[in-house]
Amino acid sequence: MRVITGGEVPRATWSMRPDALVAGLDTPGLRILAACTRAEAACDVLDLLPPALGELGLVFYPFGSPEGVEPAARALARRVLAGGSAPWNLTFWSHKRGGSEVPLLQRLAELDEQYTLLECSGRTVDEVDAEVTAMARRLAARP
């Protein structure tokens, strides 16, 4: 999972706009975002993005917000389960996002360390991957 900067939002919005139009998702907020220059977006994206996402029935979680951790973790878990991301990406992300302080991410952060300690622990990558995948299933199933 990659975090994009405010300056990248107009390009991302513009590139997804044809698909959004075909899906009937053309909204005033998306048009405004797509029309922003990089410089405008870098300054204005935090004001423009929440209403644009709201028009689509989506919620905007500011980067690093506690409310956004669980939805982001579930999205990454679903990506792992779909084969679009390696299990260690979920553990690395969890560790980086302060997993030791967020109960939902604690075990994933610990498993991130297991990848580093494979030789010492006697575990294999496949064993750790299997545990991460099981946790990803539980996480993805959360409402």
Side-chain angles (χ1 to χ4, degrees), residues 1 4 10 28 38-39 41-42 47 51 56 59 63 65-67 76 87 91-92 98 103 127 132-133 137-138:
M1 180 174 298
I4 65 172
R38 286 185 98 141
D47 294 327
L56 299 171
V59 178
F63 178 75
S65 70
E67 303 84 15
L76 188 50
T91 64
F92 179 75
E127 289 171 335
V132 173
T133 302
R137 279 191 197 93
R138 288 193 296 274

Side-chain angles (χ1 to χ4, degrees), residues 1 69-83 90 93-94 104-105 108 131-143:
M1 180 174 298
V69 170
E70 186 169 340
R74 282 196 318 266
L76 188 50
R78 285 191 296 273
R79 188 180 293 171
V80 167
L81 295 172
L90 178 58
W93 179 86
S94 298
L104 177 70
L105 305 179
L108 289 168
E131 190 173 346
V132 173
T133 302
M135 291 202 66
R137 279 191 197 93
R138 288 193 296 274
L139 189 55
R142 290 174 66 101

Side-chain angles (χ1 to χ4, degrees), residues 20-34:
L21 288 171
V22 170
L25 299 176
D26 188 24
T27 68
L30 283 178
R31 282 186 239 136
I32 291 169
L33 279 172

